[in-house]
Amino acid sequence: MAPGFEAGVAGARRADTVSAVVRQWRAVHPGLDTGPMEIIGRINRCAALLQQAEDAPLRRAGLSRPEFDLLGALRRTGHELTPGELARETFSSGAAVTKRLKQLTERGLVERRGDARDRRVAHLRLTDAGRDLVDGILPDQLAYETVVLSGLDGPEQGELSALLAELLAQLEGRPGARRT
């Protein structure tokens, strides 16, 4: 077992479903290093639960998280984006962006402008209604996310954020990230 994993599991406030899975694997394969499973499994389980819960403020506004991410990307970048740029900004497939943009355009939240030099290129921007919606939802969404994280105190949230940032940088292959 990797150093620190037992302490992390023992120090957990209460058992979780991944602990049960790890116990089962240890019973079947006692010598197996389940350390990676303990981390990746918990990340995946947290992500699944967060997705299942759906964000209450977004749901009240009739938006999914991926739709809000598109609107948010257009708002935070402060300029028009092409569908390809939006896909990169939101880590989405081109097909998913196209589908979501169609819905958001029909709702009057996003508008398309053709490129004067290349008809195949579309430039997207928020409408006033889209901007107002994002600006109105964001404080409620952040308050909701604060409640979701309220079981962790400030230093724990900071530590978790830093650790996840390090892992994400490694997974994204950014320069300066440690590689094994």
Side-chain angles (χ1 to χ4, degrees), residues 39-40 43 161-180:
I39 295 170
I40 303 296
I43 290 171
S161 178
L163 290 169
L164 289 171
E166 177 68 20
L167 177 60
L168 183 58
Q170 289 179 41
L171 293 172
E172 289 178 337
R174 293 207 172 136
R178 282 185 298 186
R179 302 203 183 225
T180 54

Side-chain angles (χ1 to χ4, degrees), residues 54-77 81 86 89-90 92 96 100-101 103-104 107 109-110 126 129-145:
E54 291 202 25
D55 304 297
L58 301 182
R59 191 173 53 247
R60 282 193 298 271
L63 291 173
S64 66
R65 169 58 83 160
E67 289 170 332
F68 182 72
D69 289 346
L70 288 179
L71 295 173
L74 287 168
R75 180 66 173 126
R76 68 184 157 74
T77 59
L81 296 172
L86 264 177
E89 282 288 327
T90 60
S92 302
R100 291 178 193 128
L101 284 172
Q103 295 165 340
L104 295 170
R107 289 182 61 187
L109 302 173
V110 173
L126 288 178
R131 187 190 65 249
D132 292 346
L133 180 63
V134 171
D135 290 349
I137 290 174
L138 188 58
D140 290 340
Q141 182 61 27
L142 290 172
Y144 174 80
E145 291 174 2

Side-chain angles (χ1 to χ4, degrees), residues 97-116:
V97 167
T98 298
K99 179 183 174 187
R100 291 178 193 128
L101 284 172
K102 182 178 186 296
Q103 295 165 340
L104 295 170
T105 301
E106 288 171 358
R107 289 182 61 187
L109 302 173
V110 173
E111 60 186 20
R112 295 168 108 45
R113 178 183 63 79
D115 189 283

